[in-house]
Amino acid sequence: MTNYIGKSVKRVEDKRFITGQGNYTDDIKIPNMVHAYIVRSPYAHAHVKNIDTAEALKVPGVVSILTGADIPEAIAGVPCGWQVDFKNGDTMKEPPHPLLVRGTVRHVGDGVAVVMAETKAIAKDAADLIDVDYDVLDAVADPKKAAEPGAPQVHPDCPGNLCFDWELGNPKEEVAAALASAHHVTELDFVNQRVVPNAMETRGVVAQYDTAYDKYTIWTSTQNPHLIRLLMCAFVLGIPEHKVRVVGPDVGGGFGSKIFHYAEEALLVWASKHIGRPIKWTCDRSEAFMTDAHGRDHNSNAKMGFDKDGKIVALQATTFANLGAYLSTFAPAVPTYLHGTLMQGLYTTPKVNVDVKAMFTHTNAVDAYRGAGRPEATYLLERLLDLAALEMDMDPAELRLKNFIPAFDGVEQPGYQTQVALQYDSGNYEPVLKRALEMVGYENFRKDQAAALSTNKILGIGFSTYIEACGIAPSAVVGALGARAGLFESAQVRVQPTGKVSVYTGSHSHGQGHETTFAQIVADKMGIALEDVEIIHGDSDSVAFGMGTYGSRSLAVGGSAIVKSIEKVLDKGAKVAAHLLEASVDDLDYAEGKWTVKGTDKSVSFGDVSLTAYVPHNYPEGLEPGLDFSSFYDPANFTYPFGAHIAIVEIDKETGATKLLRFIAVDDVGNVINPMIVDGQIHGGLAQGIGQAMHEGALYDDTGQLINGSYMDYCMPRADDFPSFEIDRTVTPCPHNPLGVKGAGEAGCIGSTPAVVNAVVDALWKAGYKVKDIPMPMTPERVWTAMQG
Amino acid sequence: MKVNGKHEFKISREKLWSYLMDPEVLAKITPGVSKLEVTGEDQFKTISDIKIGPVKGSFKGKLNVVEKTEPESFVINMEQHSKIGNAHVKVDMKIDETENGNAALIFDGNAKLSGMIARTGQRVLSGVANVITKEVFEALEKHIEENEATTATESKVVEKNEKVESTPLHSKEKRQEKIVEDKLVERDNTIVETNSVKEKVIETVTMPEKEKVTSTNAATTANESGLLNSIANFFKSIFGSK
Amino acid sequence: MKNKISVNVNGKQYEGEVEGRELLVNFLREHLSLTGTHIGCDTSSCGACTIHLNGHAVKSCTVLAVQADGAEVTTVEGLATNGELHPIQEGFKEEHGLQCGFCTPGMMMTAVDLLKSNANPTEHEIRDALEGNFCRCTGYHNIVKSIQYAAKKMNGATA
């Protein structure tokens, strides 16, 4: 029966990409279209005294130049989609985020004016002639410094630059008491540095206003077209939602950065009517560095207490989270509900407290980036565990095995209730670590490591056993946590008269392969050929309101919605089939694309039933024609993938140059529909996680300048930075969704980062350098410096 | 970005002071200026017509000399604006008297960069600045030499303590270069000793790191090295002119 | 000032008028609507715009359109012949060498150039050759496998 699920079906979407026929936003051309270029602030903090556009307007080919003053007061700024309250119950600070600045710039890259011209080159030429008179002010870029008395203020009504403070878990006093009586406490101050998402396609927008229909169309490089439409129409521009069509065409990667509603989207939609011409804006790479929402940027202190047997007795985590100058769509959720709630890890820790201060700084906004909060939590926990093992002279793998939550399937055994709000759905943690140890050849490695001590190239091994919460998310739960939207997903299964099937999903694919994976589910569940299924996504005019793709949610939530619609189609189809076969519905079996009367060879095919539903000449009385069903699936819980990652590194003692020799990942993402695609998701996640550990990091200087805002300065991981990855998986099905799937998009990125840092610390420690931490990215200079004591 | 160092001239403090207070000389030794137009007492409008890569441009700026204590010290404040970025520079200039009665100019400056030059290649620019600073003082020496026919001009760089700012991140090619560099330079101090090393850093970054995928040399200037050349040229305009 | 150029792209002769500063990638995308060649950066670092100029892989953002006057250009649109995929295209599909597809055209053009000069590259040689091409989705793992697939297939075909 199962022909597709569980098989590495080659991707349906590949054909257009490998032949150069992908249709990304910058590929779209509309007659009479103008090109926009945005003048951006070179300063992190300044008053804009005057903007002189006179010379620029004289450039032939310039159509219009608009500044913040040209935008009507009624057009509000970009809204935030998540509200987190202060500990005392006050609402978080939510300063305005105008489409173009009005008076004050608050980060390098803040939009000051937009030039629209016949070509992009003309627009850029004209932009160079715009004279902006700035009164430069002091700026602050570091979240901890932003909290100091006397720090430059980002917004006048956000005292101390505090957006909110937040706490979760057991009372602090209880955690402090448990730490005080612990046999050993491992403490670490560290920075989880800011990284730039760097989707290979930069953001882009094409906006068109059609006077005939009084309707706007916007093509935008986004992960969730419907949410963009909702936020833009209802909260920014005040345009009726049915008068705007948002299309997310082929999107060249997102990694979180294309979830959010950006100012440029609303700006172009508004301007397209204002100037009466379609407009295209394509972000330059250096512009993307300044304006795509960044990731991470936590400054933390963490303490983990152990009893004499190595059991964890308590964890205290204290974090300053940098939100940047403005609140991006999901920003407040990242350091809180996607971070604090994961501080239990895979462990039975009885006392956990997480304290977070979310700070405004004169930097670009920080929001969800692959993993979003969970990598930061995992980094904190897993760095502490490996360090504790070194300090207590215990084996890091043994230490973890001692502390794992015992296996539970979420069906026979209940889910596991953590100290930090979540209830894990199902888990079986020992096997992933044991399989990883087997793959790495642990005992042999330790021998090699000892032998290498006498050479110039020392070896280290690092562990990370992670859990994450994805399949985002049960609407009622996230609503209680401050989400201003639901997080269900929609799916419509439209059977055509000939039995071919069009599926409309509210999920959005930007590399994940939905057109293949979702088609596998549909083809299998309906018993039809894969070629007879088409997956349609990304167009708000054809797809029912959906919530898009992020938080490893497409299959667990979007896939489940499709399954619900398939069930409805097959239920109705059975009624038609029963009529045609003159049998009772209860007497029918459905398999291989046909309904058969049990115990007979009488059957009717899916195609015949479909045709009958649309040509209902001989049809059950009282049944509506047609075979077309929509569903909205709201999950009962998050899903909780987990895994064990092991890194092996080699360090040149003379230079500090670190080479990643091997990377082993054993992940459990629940049931797997397409192993090839899941493996690909893991590979990509690993590269981003390892990239953060070894290469990447956005640097702001103390005047708020981003000093590595180009590919010549920001170190992107390249092919020769990695070995081939060694991956495997175990399968612990999700007990609460119909597919038993958990989610694989972020797992690789969540688990891998601490494993690499732990490996470097292990190498140094074993070679006699008792170094607790190497700040990421672990450049040769930093590793070398650490060895100098 | 910091620039600091010391340069000894074989003339008296007072004489050096008078040279430095001459707008023409000031123009010669001050970062980013080819002409000074007096707009007030110790206030100047700076003019520099510079060709930057494929773009010719006029750079606007102003320069003030403040906190003058003759013949010991003064401070230069300067602003430069251009298409590819801006620089706000403050340089503390101190003139010490050496044991043999010569003047030693000690400079300690901080340049706040913004715009494209801030986020592209900034960390290699301190190396560029160092080289250019040397050129600036050589030019000043030459000028003094021409004017003080009778005065010996064997001044030399007696100390250069410009610290290479910590560069925790390196793009790939810079990382690799760093390793080479680290081998060249004594590991236990962070002072870059030789110009050749610095120039090597600059050169390495200017060249496309790999020839695997590249175009003709001429074409390369259209983008990558063109950008870096632009920055290097701009920097010359900031830190000295010939 | 406009300059007249004549370029053979994917076997077809094109005439065009371009500004002196216009980049080849712009000419391909804007004048010829060959949008398979992508722009991923502004520093000639990412390789998304890699094409073949007179048979060699170049980043088309570092070539001025006027420099391509009289040249032969192959873009991703010209890889397949008579509707049959080039082995490298097949390799990327078979080995899941692409996800979002944005870097893919450049990756394939670089790979084809590599396989011309080195029919049997080792994994190390492949990774080395890809240094000028960024991919953010695949971690390069399956790109390496895709190129190995193509090498094997091309060697089989010529053997």
Side-chain angles (χ1 to χ4, degrees), chain A residues 697 706 709 713 721 777 779 784, chain B residues 114 119 121 168-169 171-172 174 187:
Chain A
L706 174 63
D713 302 82
D721 288 322
T779 57
W784 181 86
Chain B
S114 59
R119 56 181 185 276
L169 288 180
S171 67
K172 174 112 191 170
K174 278 172 254 161
R187 295 305 310 249

Side-chain angles (χ1 to χ4, degrees), chain A residues 563-648:
Chain A
V563 172
K564 275 184 75 175
S565 287
I566 293 170
E567 285 167 359
K568 291 177 188 172
V569 165
L570 293 180
D571 279 353
K572 184 172 178 182
K575 287 176 188 161
V576 177
H579 177 81
L580 293 174
L581 292 166
E582 296 175 333
S584 146
V585 167
D586 296 336
D587 289 338
L588 300 184
D589 278 333
Y590 185 73
E592 312 270 325
K594 60 188 178 188
W595 282 273
T596 307
V597 182
K598 284 175 191 163
T600 74
D601 58 358
K602 278 176 67 182
S603 69
V604 60
S605 72
F606 180 74
D608 287 341
V609 167
S610 308
L611 192 63
T612 305
Y614 288 97
V615 188
H617 297 165
N618 174 18
Y619 205 65
E621 205 171 316
L623 194 67
E624 283 178 25
L627 203 50
D628 188 339
F629 284 97
S630 287
S631 303
F632 291 82
Y633 178 81
D634 203 352
N637 191 357
F638 293 88
T639 61
Y640 299 89
F642 54 89
H645 291 184
I646 298 177
I648 290 182

Side-chain angles (χ1 to χ4, degrees), chain A residues 192-193 195 295-298 322 366 369-370 372 375-376 692 749:
Chain A
N192 198 304
Q193 88 277 26
V195 289
R296 318 288 186 251
D297 209 344
H298 284 192
N322 194 346
V366 179
Y369 165 66
R370 203 167 196 169
E376 295 91 315
Q692 183 181 10
C749 196

Side-chain angles (χ1 to χ4, degrees), chain A residues 199-212:
Chain A
M200 290 315 302
E201 180 213 20
T202 57
R203 289 186 297 117
V205 177
V206 176
Q208 179 182 31
Y209 175 68
D210 183 339
T211 50

Side-chain angles (χ1 to χ4, degrees), chain B residues 172-182 184 197 200-201 204:
Chain B
K172 174 112 191 170
E173 55 276 22
K174 278 172 254 161
R175 261 190 294 145
Q176 289 177 339
E177 190 54 39
K178 177 71 184 162
I179 297 164
V180 178
E181 191 187 314
D182 287 344
L184 292 170
V197 172
K200 195 167 175 9
V201 174
T204 309

Side-chain angles (χ1 to χ4, degrees), chain A residues 751-770:
Chain A
S752 54
T753 312
V756 184
V757 181
N758 285 340
V760 172
V761 172
D762 177 66
L764 297 185
W765 201 281
K766 296 288 157 60
Y769 310 102
K770 305 289 187 207

Side-chain angles (χ1 to χ4, degrees), chain C residues 91-110:
Chain C
F92 270 73
K93 184 174 166 74
E94 289 300 313
E95 298 291 347
H96 190 29
L98 67 150
Q99 289 181 27
C100 80
F102 195 80
C103 75
T104 312
M107 282 284 176
M108 293 193 303
M109 299 313 283
T110 299

